[in-house]
């Protein structure tokens, strides 16, 4: 239980590694953070770190604005795993993204990823299988690594992907509630 004795993100991450029995197996752990302190703490603890951005862009201009926000927020941070574009359909709601056509969403992915690449980072696209199959022109996205979200004991998606989120109901000692669990088939830190 976190009792306030740890005052820095590095101390919290070190405690989590200890509880997971992973202190001596750091190369097997990846911290994907969306906040500056997550990245700083992970890197200080010797972990790899990447970031993702949850996008709701409906135009290329919006995707480019989002990419610039990410690039600006990464200034001075040691991110050695991909910068991920996470665009998702909002289910059970009326969202401005509901009717984004395939070509526009694909254009947004390309624009975001190219801006990230131009800034010196490794871009990646995160999607679930259904959105990928029906909302993206995959032939136009082959220059980017792909992080698949498909919750099964084994993936049924038959196109290339380098990371796989295989459950949203994972359990990690020391963390209350369900967590996403992922496997990376590529070591981006090399």
């Amino acid at each position: 239980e976190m009792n306030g004795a740890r005052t820095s993100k590095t101390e919290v991450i070190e405690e989590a590694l200890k509880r997971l029995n992973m202190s001596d197996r750091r190369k097997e752990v990846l911290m994907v953070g969306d906040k500056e302190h997550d990245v700083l703490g992970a890197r200080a603890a010797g972990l790899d770190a990447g970031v993702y951005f949850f996008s709701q862009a409906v135009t290329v201009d919006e995707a480019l604005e989002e990419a610039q926000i990410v690039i600006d927020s990464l200034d001075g941070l040691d991110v050695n795993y991909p910068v991920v574009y996470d665009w998702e359909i909002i289910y059970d709601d009326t969202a401005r993204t509901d009717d984004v056509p395939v070509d526009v969403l694909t254009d947004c992915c390309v624009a975001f990823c190219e801006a990230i690449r131009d800034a010196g980072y490794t871009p990646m696209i995160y999607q679930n299988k259904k959105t990928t199959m029906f909302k993206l022109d995959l032939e136009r996205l082959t220059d980017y690594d792909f992080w698949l979200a498909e919750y099964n004991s084994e993936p049924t998606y038959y196109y290339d992907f380098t990371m796989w989120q295989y459950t949203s109901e994972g359990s990690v000692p020391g963390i209350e509630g369900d967590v996403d669990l992922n496997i990376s088939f590529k070591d981006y830190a090399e």
Side-chain angles (χ1 to χ4, degrees):
E1 177 175 326
M2 299 296 183
N3 60 9
R6 289 169 258 319
T7 59
S8 75
K9 195 65 161 189
T10 303
E11 290 173 330
V12 171
I13 290 171
E14 288 292 348
E15 178 64 17
L17 289 171
K18 181 177 153 192
R19 290 181 185 197
L20 293 169
N21 241 0
M22 298 293 287
S23 292
D24 59 343
R25 296 170 40 205
R26 292 168 194 271
K27 289 308 281 177
E28 298 175 39
V29 178
L30 166 67
M31 173 96 177
V32 177
D34 58 356
K35 295 183 180 172
E36 176 182 348
H37 297 291
D38 291 338
V39 173
L40 291 172
R43 297 303 287 145
L47 302 180
D48 297 323
V51 299
Y52 67 92
F53 185 84
F54 185 86
S55 171
Q56 288 291 276
V58 296
T59 68
V60 167
D61 286 343
E62 288 179 4
L64 289 171
E65 286 176 36
E66 292 174 345
Q68 192 58 54
I69 289 167
V70 173
I71 292 163
D72 291 346
S73 73
L74 294 177
D75 187 37
L77 296 178
D78 180 19
V79 174
N80 63 343
Y81 257 65
V83 174
V84 183
Y85 187 65
D86 175 7
W87 189 100
E88 299 180 27
I89 295 172
I90 306 299
Y91 294 100
D92 302 323
D93 195 357
T94 302
R96 63 192 291 267
T97 55
D98 286 349
D99 297 316
V100 173
V102 170
D103 61 326
V104 173
L105 178 53
T106 304
D107 290 344
C108 289
C109 290
V110 170
F112 183 94
C113 288
E114 285 303 307
I116 295 301
R117 179 177 283 148
D118 289 347
Y121 300 99
T122 302
M124 176 182 267
I125 298 168
Y126 169 94
Q127 278 296 342
N128 63 52
K129 180 182 172 182
K130 183 177 179 182
T131 302
T132 300
M133 301 299 289
F134 297 106
K135 293 293 283 184
L136 292 175
D137 180 354
L138 295 177
E139 288 183 8
R140 293 184 48 216
L141 300 175
T142 58
D143 287 343
Y144 315 108
D145 285 347
F146 187 71
W147 180 0
L148 172 68
E150 183 183 356
Y151 304 148
N152 286 314
S153 59
E154 61 184 54
T156 61
Y157 183 76
Y158 42 82
Y159 296 107
D160 289 337
F161 56 96
T162 56
M163 291 179 73
W164 175 34
Q165 184 173 97
Y166 58 91
T167 186
S168 62
E169 298 176 343
S171 174
V172 175
I175 298 176
E176 190 174 316
D178 293 339
V179 297
D180 297 339
L181 297 178
N182 303 274
I183 297 173
S184 180
F185 300 107
K186 181 176 180 179
D187 186 354
Y188 289 92
E190 291 183 342

